[in-house]
Amino acid sequence: MDPSGIFPTSYRTDRRVVRTRWQAIALAVFMGLLLAAPYLASGRIIAVLNMMLISAVIAVGLQICTGYAGQINLGQAAFMGVGAYTASILASKTGMSFLLTIPLAGFAAALFGFLFGLTAARIKGFYLALTTIAAQFLFHFAVLNLPSSWMGGSNGITVPPAELFGFRIVGETSQFYMNLAVATIMIAGAFGIIRSRFGRAFVAVRDDDVAAGIMGINVAATKANAFLIGAFYAGVGGALWAYLIRFVGVDQFTLFNSIFFIAMIIVGGMGSIVGALVGVFVIRVIQEVIATVGPNIADSVSFLGGDIVFAGMNVILGGVIAGSMILEPKGLMHRWNILKSSFRIWPFPY
């Protein structure tokens, strides 16, 4: 619901992302704070922001695939791994610039995701979830069993730093600006996708694929395209991860990570790009608090053992996810939209 006096007169106006002057000002202030963050915050916070930006790219791709198209994807970490390995191999063995390795990593992951997206034309629901889990195990099997000279096997691959015009992007600050630039482009692209005819087709297939097919939408192609786009975003995020960590190993991309990406869009709100970003922020902050508080608790209650303490912390994080699904199944963005609507129509109850 828009503020009083705001009436869209065309579909393009109605679907505009920034609709009012105050929203434009708020967005400009937010971007200004992000650009100034390395000069205002500590190195630890910048490191956390780097993780959030990479997670945001991956979660937004998963939101398009699952939140908008309704295609359950439990293999997003595998697609991320394909992108990370592609960028690592191209950078370490060919010396290719990150300006090329990042998009090529996205295309490699998109191809891998498209293959599994083809199965979505015939299956859905629980069986589709099992198929995407198979992608996770297939990725691990391929990395560990292919010749080690190809993908490093269990030893992983060391990634050279990204370079631009002779400048090496190695510090947290320079990494932050690179991640911010890529994340901004990818998120802006996501808004463009969901506002296009492809986005409308995704929503139609999600709501009722039979009715969508009767209306003339190619359901099989739409489902496959949803996986392709979601995997492309994961591949780009994997490439950013490779350049940030400077080392890629198969144990970095597990089913557990895929579940956390699902949790991000559930907590933030399914079917909302901003909801995916909110979910990334909430989950990453919780993880950072756990990582900070966990060692202190382990020291103070040493008789329990550090493993038990950290297992308890993971239970707390799982409880937050379960509580979100029980108390606010539509996500935090749904509650935020209700609060905005209530404020705009106050003091009237309707």
Side-chain angles (χ1 to χ4, degrees):
M1 179 181 294
D2 289 323
S4 177
I6 303 297
F7 303 102
T9 57
S10 66
Y11 178 78
R12 182 177 181 180
T13 304
D14 187 51
R15 298 293 294 170
R16 186 176 296 166
V17 177
V18 180
R19 304 163 70 93
T20 66
R21 181 181 303 175
W22 288 110
Q23 288 177 342
I25 293 174
L27 179 60
V29 171
F30 176 73
M31 292 303 298
L33 289 175
L34 281 180
L35 291 173
Y39 305 100
L40 302 176
S42 64
R44 177 69 179 273
I45 294 178
I46 300 304
V48 174
L49 289 177
N50 275 323
M51 297 298 297
M52 286 184 178
L53 290 172
I54 296 173
S55 299
V57 173
I58 301 169
V60 166
L62 184 61
Q63 185 72 282
I64 294 175
C65 180
T66 302
Y68 283 96
Q71 305 306 300
I72 301 175
N73 182 2
L74 296 178
Q76 192 75 341
F79 303 141
M80 175 188 176
V82 172
Y85 270 93
T86 301
S88 303
I89 293 171
L90 292 176
S92 61
K93 296 187 177 182
T94 68
M96 192 177 294
S97 170
F98 76 94
L99 296 175
L100 294 176
T101 59
I102 291 178
L104 288 176
F107 286 123
L111 178 61
F112 185 59
F114 183 77
L115 297 176
F116 286 89
L118 293 176
T119 62
R122 294 181 175 272
I123 59 178
K124 63 176 68 175
F126 173 75
Y127 299 101
L128 180 58
L130 289 180
T131 302
T132 57
I133 292 177
Q136 190 76 48
F137 290 102
L138 178 61
F139 166 73
H140 279 247
F141 178 84
V143 172
L144 294 176
N145 288 276
L146 286 173
S148 59
S149 59
W150 292 10
M151 305 182 70
S154 59
N155 295 323
I157 301 176
T158 301
V159 185
E163 293 187 13
L164 182 63
F165 305 120
F167 176 75
R168 302 181 67 188
I169 304 175
V170 293
E172 292 287 352
T173 298
S174 55
Q175 287 277 358
F176 171 79
Y177 284 119
M178 183 179 76
N179 293 334
L180 178 61
V182 175
T184 301
I185 294 172
M186 299 300 290
I187 293 170
F191 277 111
I193 290 171
I194 63 172
R195 295 170 65 237
S196 68
R197 65 185 182 91
F198 295 102
R200 295 193 292 273
F202 289 157
V203 174
V205 170
R206 177 196 66 189
D207 293 342
D208 193 329
D209 55 356
V210 176
I214 294 175
M215 294 173 62
I217 296 174
N218 189 331
V219 175
T222 299
K223 291 181 177 180
N225 288 336
F227 271 94
L228 185 147
I229 293 173
F232 178 82
Y233 272 73
V236 171
L240 294 177
W241 169 269
Y243 281 114
L244 177 67
I245 304 300
R246 302 277 303 282
F247 175 80
V248 174
V250 70
D251 57 341
Q252 299 171 351
F253 314 103
T254 63
L255 179 61
F256 189 75
N257 299 116
S258 294
I259 294 174
F260 267 110
F261 290 129
I262 287 286
M264 290 174 184
I265 65 174
I266 290 176
V267 171
M270 300 283 283
S272 171
I273 299 298
V274 179
L277 303 179
V278 172
V280 168
F281 176 80
V282 172
I283 295 298
R284 285 299 183 189
V285 167
I286 293 175
Q287 288 177 326
E288 184 63 21
V289 171
I290 291 174
T292 302
V293 175
N296 296 330
I297 296 178
D299 292 338
S300 59
V301 287
S302 57
F303 63 91
L304 293 177
D307 293 338
I308 294 179
V309 172
F310 280 103
M313 290 297 181
N314 287 327
V315 170
I316 293 174
L317 186 58
V320 171
I321 298 171
S324 174
M325 296 179 66
I326 295 172
L327 300 176
E328 193 56 70
K330 294 185 178 180
L332 295 176
M333 277 305 298
H334 175 69
R335 180 57 51 186
W336 172 246
N337 290 330
I338 291 176
L339 291 175
K340 287 195 301 182
S341 298
S342 301
F343 174 76
R344 287 168 178 170
I345 65 177
W346 185 85
F348 303 102
Y350 53 86

